Amino acid sequence: MISVPKVLEQQLRTVDPLRGKVLSLDYAVHAHGVCHDELTPEQQDLSAIYLGTAKALFDGEASMTALADASAAHAKIRISGSRLAEEIMWVGVLAVSVCWQRELVREGLSRGELKNVTVKTVAAEAQNVVRLFSGEQEATWQLIHLLETADRVDPQVLVNLLDEVSAEQAEFLAVEYAKHALERHPDARYFQAVLDDPGRLPLAVVARQAQHMVGGSEATWQLIKLVASAPVTETRRTAATEQQ
């Protein structure tokens, strides 16, 4: 059975440093959105300012001083709510650290530096707070977001995962892949036959035929559909990152 968190971790190992920073902020923002109701109104506002300032720096629309000020305000309010709220906001601290902590320290705007914090750290902690808040598997959204925003996805990822799906999921995906191909080519008898008997042909064969007929980014679409339909697996929290 496919483990989405494991696939995500494998893919995060391959991202370049800049993309890792962007994904870190995206993961923190999404986790805050999912867990929005756990935060007080003031925590919501200051978190939005903090993460928004960190993101604006990439476009040259904010300054390190503004980020340091937002960080100080964020730190003061972080412990004013529930323990879970503090952990949610800590995901934001980790994300900003991945992006800008070296610059903040270099400019004398931060006294300390978190060690060994990467986009994988942010992803894991975001998964944990979302699981505690809603029981949902955040890794699924994180992996789909990574795939949707990637310039290129290695086609071998799909090839490998197609071999791991269960028989039940394989039939479901065969139908989905055939339907998607028929949307582009309504007269394709091959895919109509797949709908009539979705378990007759190996899923990998159906996927390749659809890619050949549809072209473009069909393989990426198929991979995203596979991830979205993967059964949820239980995940364990990684060792907590040392807090400031």
Side-chain angles (χ1 to χ4, degrees):
M1 184 170 64
I2 294 171
S3 169
V4 171
K6 181 179 178 180
V7 176
L8 172 66
E9 183 178 359
Q10 292 169 343
Q11 292 306 300
L12 288 176
R13 291 175 187 166
T14 69
V15 302
D16 61 64
L18 177 57
R19 180 154 162 72
K21 293 178 179 181
V22 173
L23 286 171
S24 292
L25 282 178
D26 289 347
Y27 290 168
V29 169
H30 190 261
H32 277 69
V34 173
C35 305
H36 181 269
D37 290 343
E38 185 67 25
L39 305 177
T40 68
E42 189 172 12
Q43 286 177 326
Q44 294 168 9
D45 292 342
L46 290 177
S47 292
I49 293 171
Y50 181 48
L51 295 173
T53 303
K55 187 173 183 178
L57 271 167
F58 284 111
D59 300 320
E61 298 176 354
S63 66
M64 284 296 164
T65 300
L67 180 59
D69 291 343
S71 177
H74 183 269
K76 289 180 180 179
I77 201 66
R78 199 166 66 231
I79 60 174
S80 66
S82 67
R83 175 60 182 170
L84 179 55
E86 182 181 356
E87 292 191 26
I88 294 164
M89 296 180 72
W90 183 246
V91 176
V93 174
L94 294 174
V96 173
S97 296
V98 169
C99 297
W100 302 115
Q101 73 170 355
R102 290 183 180 178
E103 289 79 1
L104 288 168
V105 171
R106 185 172 60 240
E107 296 190 20
L109 297 171
S110 177
R111 293 176 296 176
E113 187 173 353
L114 297 175
K115 304 297 184 182
N116 303 318
V117 180
T118 69
V119 62
K120 291 194 296 180
T121 313
V122 178
E125 292 301 318
Q127 291 166 29
N128 183 64
V129 297
V130 169
R131 178 182 60 80
L132 291 174
F133 177 76
S134 67
E136 298 296 322
Q137 180 172 271
E138 180 71 353
T140 299
W141 181 88
Q142 291 174 342
L143 180 54
I144 290 174
H145 180 68
L146 183 154
L147 297 171
E148 289 177 336
T149 58
D151 292 331
R152 178 184 179 276
V153 176
D154 184 352
Q156 192 62 38
V157 177
L158 175 62
V159 173
N160 293 342
L161 292 181
L162 287 175
D163 290 335
E164 298 183 26
V165 301
S166 66
E168 181 180 1
Q169 188 185 9
E171 289 199 12
F172 168 79
L173 288 171
V175 169
E176 292 301 305
Y177 293 172
K179 285 180 178 179
H180 197 248
L182 285 167
E183 288 176 5
R184 310 293 180 86
H185 301 278
D187 297 328
R189 295 181 179 178
Y190 176 91
F191 295 108
Q192 188 58 57
V194 172
L195 294 183
D196 293 338
D197 187 2
R200 186 170 66 89
L201 293 172
L203 178 60
V205 173
V206 177
R208 284 196 299 271
Q209 289 296 327
Q211 293 165 25
H212 176 72
M213 180 162 289
V214 178
S217 58
E218 184 67 4
T220 300
W221 181 90
Q222 291 174 345
L223 178 55
I224 291 171
K225 180 63 69 172
L226 184 155
V227 171
S229 65
V232 174
T233 56
E234 185 67 25
T235 58
R236 294 183 302 168
R237 183 178 183 179
T238 57
T241 306
E242 289 293 329
Q243 297 198 9
Q244 291 173 315

